[in-house]
Amino acid sequence: MAASNPLDALSKPTVWHEFSPLANASNAVNLGQGFPNWDPAPFVVTSMVDSVQTPGTSTNQYCRPNCHLPLANALADEYNGRPSWSHLNVDPMTNVMSSLGCTQVMYCAFRALLQPGDEVVLLEPAFDIYGSQVVLMGGVPKFVSLKTDLTAPPTSNDVFTFDFDALEASISKKTRVLVLNTPHNPTGKMFSREELERISSIVSNYPNLVVFSDEVYEHIVFDPEGSPHISFATLPNMFERTLTMSSAGKTFSTTGWKVGWAIGPDDLIKKMTDLQQWVNFSSPSVTQDTIARCLKRAREPYEEFPTFYDWLAADYKKRRGVLEAALTSAGISPISPQGGFFICADTSRLTFPDSVYEEESLSAPSPMPRDWALARYMTHTNPKVAVIPPSPFYSPENVDQAKNYVRFAFCKTDDLLEEAQLRLATIDPTGDLEKK
Ligand code: PMP
């Protein structure tokens, strides 16, 4: 019998196919999908024009399969310039690889490393692309849930914590990769040094295990003193087994440009480059060249802030404040994110008609989970604010853990956040969404 194609199990609509069209059809304020709805900063746009127009450069032609050289140099400078990275001495020629967003970087990494049957440990809730990529490679995802403590102070770091025993139990000689994500989508949790140290002591027992550290929200952090962004690779002896992955999409509001990269040891970076050479040969030079310019500019003063990154974090912090206040007055308890641009909120007070569970849904699992039904009702009827149910970020056996949450994105312009605030304010104080 012919082996089945793993793609067959994945060729179906997802939550993303369902909620954006539903939001449009319902004229909802879309706080669903996580992309900024504003233009990139002027220096980002002019950097692109400069990249295309600079005479005598090769920005309009193919670049090296590893990474366009100016981007590799800019990334090496950027990481080596961070005090926590300075001892690692990132070499632009051998420690840097770029591809089409963090997504394809991760695809190349999984493809280069996994053999069928290899296990990959994912911490759920987990960005849905991880598990699907593992399945595509014939790998086996092993899910470990973050613990949820709703009695804790309402910040993402306190509410979502590690179950280290469960993590340890999930790792075996068959484990090839552990995927970390900090700041974390969808919770906004930032992994603390103590948590990362415990993870490092666990993985140290498994020489064959590689850690992928997805850090795409690294510059959107709200308490850099109390809860700083820490790269797992900077912990003692971890660089040699870690691929640090990031991208320009969230930082420069250019999600559509799909410029992503990995920083890691020579052997892992070489494997990914060898793969990319036979897939797309190289990624677009112009966008990489632009991001190389932006990385330099971002360290300079911006709008009264010492750097663009400081401005970016402050701007997002303001938006987080607006949305949190709107949610709190509507009786929806935000779990304050320490990083990223999503708020997971506790919706247990809200009620809605049972008939929603019977609605035709493009992609909901059966039976429809509560968070999914609620997200649909909030999008299409009241308050007409589109949100994302977090159950797709859980494995099928654990979707129940998502039932009391929905995810709101605050990477949205003032007018959209204000309109969302007005609509949320119409929710009846009893939390009954049927009452208007
Ligand atoms: N990782 C996480 C945690 C994300 O939230 C996203 C985008 N939503 C990505 C990776 C994808 O990044 P990119 O657009 O650079 O492929």
Side-chain angles (χ1 to χ4, degrees):
M1 202 173 70
S4 66
N5 182 344
L7 187 57
D8 293 344
L10 297 169
S11 298
K12 53 185 190 219
T14 67
V15 67
W16 315 112
H17 296 109
E18 177 164 334
F19 277 85
S20 291
L22 188 64
N24 290 339
S26 320
N27 213 2
V29 176
N30 196 346
L31 304 188
Q33 209 173 353
F35 59 88
N37 71 327
W38 50 71
D39 291 333
F43 80 84
V44 178
V45 176
T46 50
S47 296
M48 171 68 101
V49 174
D50 291 346
S51 286
V52 177
Q53 287 184 341
T54 308
T57 66
S58 53
T59 45
N60 295 303
Q61 310 306 331
Y62 296 130
C63 65
R64 300 152 72 231
N66 348 22
C67 185
H68 181 53
L69 193 54
L71 179 61
N73 285 327
L75 284 167
D77 288 347
E78 166 59 31
Y79 282 85
N80 290 332
R82 300 179 186 182
S84 58
W85 278 80
S86 56
H87 62 293
L88 293 170
N89 219 354
V90 171
D91 180 338
M93 304 307 284
T94 56
N95 297 137
V96 181
M97 184 269 181
S98 71
S99 194
L100 295 171
C102 177
T103 307
Q104 194 170 337
V105 167
M106 191 164 283
Y107 181 89
C108 290
F110 278 136
R111 195 78 198 83
L113 293 182
L114 290 187
Q115 297 298 319
D118 282 350
E119 293 182 357
V120 175
V121 173
L122 304 174
L123 297 167
E124 62 182 2
F127 182 47
D128 59 347
I129 278 177
Y130 306 154
S132 300
Q133 289 195 349
V134 173
V135 169
L136 273 179
M137 313 300 164
V140 183
K142 292 270 161 190
F143 291 93
V144 178
S145 300
L146 290 172
K147 286 196 286 192
T148 313
D149 176 6
L150 282 175
T151 60
T155 74
S156 55
N157 290 6
D158 298 310
V159 170
F160 297 98
T161 56
F162 277 97
D163 183 340
F164 288 103
D165 293 337
L167 179 63
E168 200 152 11
S170 72
I171 296 179
S172 72
K173 291 206 179 89
K174 284 198 259 172
T175 312
R176 187 69 172 110
V177 178
L178 163 66
V179 181
L180 303 179
N181 170 212
T182 183
H184 182 250
N185 175 10
T187 66
K189 177 180 172 63
M190 310 261 314
F191 295 5
S192 71
R193 181 167 298 281
E194 293 68 37
E195 288 170 333
L196 294 174
E197 277 169 0
R198 282 193 71 174
I199 296 172
S200 87
S201 73
I202 296 172
V203 300
S204 296
N205 299 323
Y206 298 90
N208 204 28
L209 188 158
V210 175
V211 174
F212 293 0
S213 183
D214 175 342
E215 303 181 9
V216 296
Y217 299 101
E218 61 187 319
H219 293 294
I220 307 177
V221 296
F222 304 123
D223 179 12
E225 299 298 317
S227 180
H229 173 65
I230 301 169
S231 292
F232 186 73
T234 61
L235 269 61
N237 306 319
M238 289 301 114
F239 181 79
E240 291 307 319
R241 61 158 75 232
T242 304
L243 285 165
T244 302
M245 302 177 181
S246 192
S247 71
K250 325 286 176 190
T251 303
F252 296 112
S253 301
T254 53
T255 58
W257 293 10
K258 297 296 285 182
V259 179
W261 55 85
I263 310 290
D266 307 12
D267 57 331
L268 298 181
I269 292 293
K270 179 172 183 318
K271 280 193 168 74
M272 294 166 71
T273 304
D274 289 349
L275 179 82
Q276 171 148 271
Q277 150 124 356
W278 300 114
V279 179
N280 44 308
F281 181 73
S282 64
S283 306
S285 311
V286 169
T287 40
Q288 292 187 69
D289 197 79
T290 307
I291 296 305
R293 294 166 191 261
C294 291
L295 287 168
K296 288 181 201 139
R297 173 67 185 84
R299 286 282 165 206
E300 292 168 13
Y302 187 81
E303 300 273 343
E304 319 272 306
F305 285 85
T307 69
F308 172 73
Y309 299 127
D310 295 303
W311 172 84
L312 182 78
D315 187 67
Y316 270 112
K317 193 170 180 174
K318 203 175 59 197
R319 292 174 203 286
R320 179 187 70 162
V322 171
L323 186 56
E324 282 185 351
L327 292 173
T328 307
S329 2
I332 303 173
S333 309
I335 299 168
S336 191
Q338 307 299 290
F341 50 50
F342 301 111
I343 296 178
C344 271
D346 178 4
T347 63
S348 34
R349 273 192 69 253
L350 300 184
T351 55
F352 55 97
D354 284 345
S355 56
V356 190
Y357 289 99
E358 308 308 321
E359 286 177 2
E360 193 102 347
S361 155
L362 205 57
S363 53
S366 179
M368 188 185 287
R370 177 188 177 273
D371 61 311
W372 202 295
L374 173 62
R376 284 186 62 89
Y377 197 74
M378 289 181 73
T379 303
H380 66 48
T381 303
N382 187 26
K384 283 192 186 277
V385 172
V387 294
I388 293 292
S391 46
F393 290 67
Y394 284 88
S395 51
E397 51 281 11
N398 286 329
V399 285
D400 205 44
Q401 295 188 23
K403 67 173 187 247
N404 287 334
Y405 306 112
V406 291
R407 192 195 79 171
F408 295 81
F410 55 95
C411 44
K412 304 296 168 188
T413 41
D414 295 347
D415 56 332
L416 228 64
L417 290 177
E418 278 157 24
E419 181 58 28
Q421 189 171 22
L422 291 176
R423 294 188 186 194
L424 287 162
T426 65
I427 292 180
D428 190 81
T430 60
D432 182 352
L433 293 183
E434 269 191 285
K435 290 196 192 153
K436 284 216 197 176

